[in-house]
Amino acid sequence: MILLQLSAAQGPAECCLAVARALACLQHEAAQAGIRTEQLEREDGEQPGTLRSVLLSLDGDGEDTLASHWEGTIQWICASPWRPRHPRKNWFIGVARCEAPSTTLADEIRFEATRSSGPGGQHVNKTESAIRATHVATGISVKVQTERSQHANKRLAMLLLAHKLACRDEEMNAAQRGLRRQLHRQVERGNPRRVFRGEGFVPLSS
C-alpha cells in the first residue's frame, strides 16, 4: 500500500481544479490496473468541485509503478474557466509519495481493535475490524476502518501514522520548517512529470 498526496500548494482556484481533475484521472488509471484507491484526507478548494489537497491510498499489484507515473509536478494547459481573459494558461500541482514507515515504528505503536462505525450493514455491526493506532511517545492516533480485515487496517494505520509523524517532525524542526513552507507555497514549474490539456484533462505526455 502506498500513500500519495496531491496538492495545489498555494496556487489559485485553477490549480485546485487541476487537483480534482488529476485525482479523477489517477483513480481511473488505478481502476483500469486493478488497483484499489481510497481517499483518506481531503481539503476542499474555495470553488465547488475543487480540491486544495487530497491524501490517497493505492493498494494492489502495480501500485509502485502507478505512483511513480504520477510523482512530481503535473502541468495542466487550459484557459481559466472562471477568468476567461486571464493570460495564464499553465497551471501546476504537485504529487508526492508519503514517507514509508520505519522498521521500528510498529514497536512504538499501541494497536486496539474496535467496532467500525457508520453505514455498512451487519458486517459493521458485528465485527471488530477497525483499528485504532496510537503512537505512544506522542499520543498521535488514527482510526482506520476502510478495509475488511484487521491486518489491512493495521497496515494502513501505520502508513497514516508515519505520514503524520513526518509532518510533525518537519514542523518541529526549525530548519525543515522553512523548507516545508516553501514546498507548500510553490510547485516546481519546470520539467513536469505529466502534462494534460483542456477542459477534458487529456494527457499529452507521461
Side-chain angles (χ1 to χ4, degrees), residues 2-7 19 23 26-27 37-43 51-58 96-99 142 156 159-164 167:
I2 291 173
L3 302 189
L4 284 182
Q5 187 162 41
L6 287 68
S7 175
V19 170
L23 173 64
L26 196 164
Q27 288 178 312
T37 63
E38 186 81 31
Q39 290 186 43
L40 305 175
E41 296 176 358
R42 58 182 283 162
E43 179 183 349
L51 290 168
R52 174 65 56 186
S53 68
V54 61
L55 183 64
L56 188 74
S57 66
L58 306 178
R97 188 185 306 217
C98 297
E99 186 171 331
V142 296
L156 179 53
L159 285 168
L160 275 173
L161 274 182
H163 172 60
K164 291 181 180 296
C167 291

Side-chain angles (χ1 to χ4, degrees), residues 113-173:
T114 66
R115 287 182 180 268
S116 298
S117 58
Q122 292 183 350
H123 174 78
V124 166
N125 295 330
K126 295 184 178 181
T127 65
E128 293 190 348
S129 59
I131 291 291
R132 182 178 299 281
T134 304
H135 187 246
V136 177
T138 63
I140 296 174
S141 70
V142 296
K143 182 179 179 180
V144 177
Q145 60 183 45
T146 57
E147 306 293 336
R148 282 282 187 175
S149 71
Q150 283 190 13
H151 177 74
N153 281 327
K154 185 176 180 180
R155 186 161 56 113
L156 179 53
M158 283 187 60
L159 285 168
L160 275 173
L161 274 182
H163 172 60
K164 291 181 180 296
L165 288 170
C167 291
R168 174 183 178 274
D169 289 345
E170 288 176 357
E171 290 172 353
M172 293 181 65
N173 187 305

Side-chain angles (χ1 to χ4, degrees), residues 5-24:
Q5 187 162 41
L6 287 68
S7 175
Q10 298 301 312
E14 292 83 357
C15 293
C16 296
L17 180 57
V19 170
R21 297 281 175 84
L23 173 64

Side-chain angles (χ1 to χ4, degrees), residues 8 12-23 25 47 49-51 70 72-83 87-94 187-205:
E14 292 83 357
C15 293
C16 296
L17 180 57
V19 170
R21 297 281 175 84
L23 173 64
C25 185
Q47 293 285 350
T50 67
L51 290 168
W70 281 86
T73 298
I74 304 298
Q75 179 182 5
W76 181 36
I77 305 171
C78 187
S80 170
W82 300 292
R83 300 179 287 174
R88 182 175 170 184
K89 300 292 189 298
N90 292 284
W91 315 100
F92 297 89
I93 65 171
V187 174
E188 183 184 359
R189 286 167 168 77
N191 192 30
R193 185 69 180 88
R194 300 187 68 177
V195 180
F196 297 83
R197 182 185 291 276
E199 285 287 335
F201 210 73
V202 179
L204 295 185
S205 64

